[in-house]
Amino acid sequence: MSAYEEAILHFRQLLDAQLARAERLRAAEPPRRFDAQSRVTIGLAPGDGIGPVIMREAQRAAEAVLDDELRAGRVTLRTIDGLTIERRLALGQPVPADTLEAIRACDVLLKGPTTTPKGGTMESANVTLRRELDLYANVRPVRIPSEGIDWMFYRENTEGEYVLGSQGIQPDAGLAMDFKVTTVEGTRRIARAAFEYARMNGKTNVAIVTKANIMKKTDGLFSAVAHEVANEYPGIEAEDWYIDIMAANLVNPAIRSRFQVFVLPNLYGDIITDEAAQLQGGVGTAGSANIGGRYAMFEAIHGSAPRMVEQGIAEYANPESILRALVMLLRHIARPQAAQRLEAAVNAASDVLNMTGEPGGNTARQFGDKVLSLL
Ligand code: IPM
Ligand code: MG
């Protein structure tokens, strides 16, 4: 078979698989609701690079704020090893099968950063987990109270540019193609999550952010379906924006504080939430929730920072992001008081400590100690 014919066959397989996926999405369930009495097993997967350093602090904080519940056996913390880059490469699996099984046996997962190899065909562990657990809503809050900024990003987390990101085609050395996928159901559920958040939290505006002038099919569908959902929420204004001007708006002090909730396809959400986190104080300061029907995974928004490990300065990593992810996890499992206590302590610790990521600044352990002393 020529490379050209192989590419066509490959494309046909992708098409069949995506049509089947779109069909399955019709049966997807709404997010599981916890209550204060729910028995919950929290998996802790430290990950790679600075992951174990920051996870240690998150674990200490979880043990402190959940003390009673842990002793009463209502909450269990379970460490999940086996999500390291060494093991993933050795097995040739982005998330080893036994590790995925261990994660599935938990109710929620707090995950440290995992290294994604550049090039090759090994998929990112994040992408695999989001797909395998169908964690379709990536929820990222960014707040800058001194500027009146209180943003909530609803990034679609299972399709767009990511779903076939490792399955592009290169029929000859001179041509490469990747694929972007949008489905009606996939868009409807993320839009609904964003508008529900707006409704429950008294927000009056949702920005639907795409590049539908260029990505006419996929982003065009995303925008249309998001507007359909918006029609179910008459009190909430839905605005269309393009991603390029929105990237500019976020750094425009004249208008940025008027944005409240954003809903957007996967890759734009990836990029713009890093920008927003940087405005808040750096990617080390923002937490991220990945919510699906059955499972939810909470993680630091940043990567594993292998450079810090190579330079021997991993202990200076900032655990703030994973601690904020833990705050979101606690809210998700209906432990709002524990979440509140931890959030207040993290806010206060980040005000007084100097996390530069280098010698001279404070260490992850010092940040963790400070948080514990403030609880
Ligand atoms: C994120 C990260 C991931 C992504 C990487 C690690 C695959 O950047 O969670 O934003 O691109 O989604
Ligand atoms: Mg990212």
Side-chain angles (χ1 to χ4, degrees), residues 114 116 124-127 130 138 140 155 157 162 266-267 269-271 273-274 288 290 299-303:
T114 39
T116 306
S124 135
N126 278 43
V127 174
R130 290 168 185 170
N138 193 321
R140 299 185 162 180
R155 162 187 174 190
N157 210 23
Y162 279 65
N266 210 339
L267 183 60
D270 176 46
I271 295 167
T273 54
D274 267 16
S288 165
N290 300 265
E299 59 184 344
I301 172 171
H302 56 74

Side-chain angles (χ1 to χ4, degrees), residues 43-334:
L44 304 174
D48 305 310
I50 59 171
V53 175
I54 59 175
M55 182 60 84
R56 212 177 46 214
E57 303 314 317
Q59 176 159 1
R60 290 204 298 152
E63 283 164 358
V65 291
L66 292 169
D67 184 35
D68 290 350
E69 304 235 50
L70 289 168
R71 271 186 287 127
R74 272 196 306 277
V75 176
T76 306
L77 299 178
R78 186 184 293 163
T79 298
I80 296 179
D81 295 316
L83 199 59
T84 61
I85 182 72
E86 294 79 13
R87 186 151 183 271
R88 291 184 286 129
L89 285 175
L91 294 173
Q93 297 170 16
V95 178
D98 59 340
T99 307
L100 185 59
E101 206 176 303
I103 291 171
R104 279 211 167 103
C106 299
D107 298 294
V108 290
L109 179 71
L110 186 67
K111 180 186 148 298
T114 39
T115 302
T116 306
K118 215 177 284 154
T121 53
M122 166 86 68
E123 189 175 56
S124 135
N126 278 43
V127 174
T128 306
L129 284 170
R130 290 168 185 170
R131 187 188 53 243
E132 292 299 319
L133 304 176
D134 200 24
L135 307 173
Y136 62 85
N138 193 321
V139 186
R140 299 185 162 180
V142 167
R143 293 195 185 94
I144 313 172
S146 60
E147 294 192 35
I149 290 175
D150 184 0
W151 293 330
M152 189 59 97
F153 293 88
Y154 275 81
R155 162 187 174 190
E156 200 293 317
N157 210 23
T158 48
E159 44 190 47
E161 304 77 357
Y162 279 65
V163 60
L164 298 177
S166 307
Q167 297 177 65
I169 49 182
Q170 188 157 12
D172 72 39
L175 172 68
M177 286 174 79
D178 279 317
F179 304 103
K180 170 165 173 166
V181 180
T182 300
T183 67
V184 168
E185 290 304 326
T187 306
R188 194 172 279 148
R189 61 187 188 173
I190 187 68
R192 205 157 265 150
F195 279 90
E196 272 302 302
Y197 169 82
R199 186 177 68 79
M200 307 270 285
N201 292 277
K203 306 289 181 192
T204 52
N205 184 285
V206 175
I208 300 164
V209 188
T210 66
K211 188 78 183 173
N213 49 343
I214 302 300
M215 295 275 100
K216 291 180 191 294
K217 286 280 178 278
T218 47
D219 283 3
L221 184 63
F222 190 97
S223 174
V225 172
H227 278 282
E228 254 174 58
V229 171
N231 288 337
E232 299 167 22
Y233 298 82
I236 300 169
E237 185 185 9
E239 283 183 349
D240 252 329
W241 287 94
Y242 292 139
I243 183 66
D244 49 350
I245 190 63
M246 186 53 91
N249 287 343
L250 294 195
V251 289
N252 180 353
I255 61 164
R256 63 181 174 185
S257 64
R258 78 175 196 75
F259 296 109
Q260 301 175 349
V261 181
F262 304 77
V263 61
L264 61 186
N266 210 339
L267 183 60
Y268 309 142
D270 176 46
I271 295 167
I272 215 167
T273 54
D274 267 16
E275 183 192 4
Q278 187 59 40
L279 294 169
Q280 171 184 266
V283 291
T285 66
S288 165
N290 300 265
I291 315 277
R294 168 70 183 80
Y295 298 99
M297 170 173 94
F298 299 79
E299 59 184 344
I301 172 171
H302 56 74
S304 59
R307 182 194 55 88
M308 292 183 76
V309 178
E310 276 157 30
Q311 295 177 359
I313 56 171
E315 66 193 287
Y316 295 94
N318 189 354
E320 183 173 339
S321 181
I322 196 141
L323 287 165
R324 292 203 186 277
L326 177 57
V327 169
M328 296 180 86
L329 182 156
L330 293 169
R331 290 222 165 87
H332 184 76
I333 61 168

